[in-house]
Amino acid sequence: MDRFEWTNDALLPHETFVKQQHGVRLYDGMQKTQFDYGIAIVTTHRLLWKDMQSQGVIGLHLGLVIYAEEDPEKSGKSPKVVIHLQPAPPNKAPGPAMSSVNTYIRLSFKEAGKTEFFRCLSEQLCRRLWEFMPAAQPAKPTAQPRSIHKGIVGIERKLEEKRKETDQNITKAFEDLNKLMTKAKEMVDLTKVIANKIKEKQGDITDDETVKFKSYLLSLGIANPVTRETHGSGLKYHEELARQLADVLTAPVEENGGMMAITDVYCRINRARGMELLSPDDLIDACQQFERLRLPLRLRKFTSGVMVLESVSQGEEAAINETAELLKNLGSISADELAQTAGVSVMLAKGRLMAAEEVGKACRDESVEGLRFYPNLFFNPPTS
């Protein structure tokens, strides 16, 4: 909570309103705070929280956010979003807390709306519009006094000015190179620590190390992103884009259990592309080329409307069999419980359960307690 600062709901210059949601509570790490049942607002630059009674407003600049994720909690609790943060800057304006031991906050949604709010927040974190300030309007030209130096003196003065400009450019270039070398050294050191812990099997990786390692991985981008300027337009552009998407996403999709929601794909790929952002339509059109090009991924749409990328090697059948095996072992399961067990989003977990239902390996039960799935004993009766 020490990253928040007191503010008002007036927008900053070049800031745009995106989404708001009522009935949101703030957590400092796992601890409840006094900021309960307010209005959460996401803009292109900040995350705001407004008290509906006192009208007090606190704000968090999105530049302090490392990444955001959905909190896979047990069923019966309000859905939450976890936001991992960088340390508070030394020149930060006063806020509700002077210091905090936690490196993340949580938003608890008591009136639903979490999915759409998380999508809008993730989209703004991918776009990073606060980094792109519009260029200042050029000043009106004013009459410049004519140089009275001519001949050899004038030439020497121009050469001296050119030399100074070259020295400044070289100095700035080496400063940027030193920063890059420092950041690379930090990543190498952190990788060695994690590798040694895994090799020696001594304890777990701390939360701080995990967050820092994820932030370094997210900062790695695609070196030569496919664009319309370099690969034309139409089918050729989408084919080349599909090949690049397959190269970048095959390993993450397989590590994610063979499936990844298209919203997660959109945020991940645009974060890697940097300035060359990809539109949702171009992403879908490129994904539709996977099967025709015989790439290791394919686009799939569940009956619930959820679209995912799935690995051809693991595929739908493997996901259905894994889900059916869980149903057999646990007796019954909800989408929330499957999401927590399999480490996937709730939407993707619901899609897996409905896919298992389509092929006759699961049955649903809708009651006041929600939607649960059970093994299909009609097609697979228990052995006596």
Side-chain angles (χ1 to χ4, degrees), residues 265-282:
V265 171
Y266 178 77
C267 290
R268 180 185 288 265
I269 202 67
N270 271 330
R271 181 65 181 86
R273 287 172 67 93
M275 296 285 290
E276 300 292 344
L277 298 180
L278 196 63
S279 70
D281 290 338
D282 283 340

Side-chain angles (χ1 to χ4, degrees), residues 249-372:
L249 296 171
T250 298
V253 169
E254 292 180 350
E255 292 172 0
N256 202 47
M259 286 187 181
M260 182 180 293
I262 199 68
T263 52
D264 296 336
V265 171
Y266 178 77
C267 290
R268 180 185 288 265
I269 202 67
N270 271 330
R271 181 65 181 86
R273 287 172 67 93
M275 296 285 290
E276 300 292 344
L277 298 180
L278 196 63
S279 70
D281 290 338
D282 283 340
L283 176 63
I284 297 299
D285 290 341
C287 292
Q288 290 174 345
Q289 306 299 321
F290 286 153
E291 289 192 65
R292 190 175 65 83
L293 298 175
R294 297 183 179 180
L295 297 172
L297 298 176
R298 65 180 175 183
L299 181 66
R300 168 174 167 76
K301 186 174 182 179
F302 290 116
T303 54
S304 61
V306 177
M307 300 181 70
V308 299
L309 280 190
E310 64 178 11
S311 171
V312 174
S313 61
Q314 299 183 14
E316 176 187 1
E317 184 177 355
I320 291 176
N321 291 336
E322 181 183 352
T323 304
E325 188 67 24
L326 280 174
L327 284 171
K328 180 179 179 182
N329 295 335
L330 300 178
S332 69
I333 197 169
S334 67
D336 292 338
E337 294 168 350
L338 178 59
Q340 186 174 7
T341 303
V344 297
S345 66
V346 177
M347 289 192 302
L348 188 54
K350 185 177 180 181
R352 288 189 178 185
L353 288 167
M354 295 180 71
E357 181 187 27
E358 286 181 6
V359 298
K361 294 190 176 183
C363 290
R364 68 170 64 193
D365 176 45
E366 296 187 54
S367 65
V368 294
E369 296 181 355
L371 180 62
R372 295 190 69 83

Side-chain angles (χ1 to χ4, degrees), residues 9-80:
D9 52 4
L11 296 178
L12 301 175
H14 314 296
E15 183 181 24
T16 305
F17 171 86
V18 177
K19 176 71 176 176
Q20 75 174 21
Q21 177 62 45
H22 290 258
V24 178
R25 180 169 195 162
L26 290 182
Y27 283 73
D28 186 9
M30 299 297 295
Q31 303 171 354
K32 294 182 179 179
T33 68
Q34 61 185 3
F35 302 100
D36 185 20
Y37 215 79
I39 303 174
I41 303 171
V42 61
T43 72
T44 54
H45 292 56
R46 295 179 296 169
L47 172 66
L48 305 175
W49 187 92
K50 182 177 180 180
D51 193 316
M52 291 189 289
Q53 296 181 352
S54 66
Q55 301 299 309
V57 182
I58 57 175
L60 169 70
H61 198 283
L62 294 184
L64 294 176
V65 177
I66 300 176
Y67 70 97
E69 61 181 349
E70 296 177 286
D71 189 5
E73 288 214 351
K74 297 180 179 179
S75 60
K77 294 186 177 181
S78 300
K80 296 178 178 62

Side-chain angles (χ1 to χ4, degrees), residues 2-4 65 68 99 126 143 166 172 191 201 211 253 258 260 266 316 325 341 349 352 357 374 381:
D2 58 342
R3 281 73 158 179
F4 279 93
V65 177
S99 62
C126 291
T166 303
K172 184 177 180 180
T191 306
K201 298 181 180 179
V211 171
V253 169
M260 182 180 293
Y266 178 77
E316 176 187 1
E325 188 67 24
T341 303
R352 288 189 178 185
E357 181 187 27
Y374 293 80

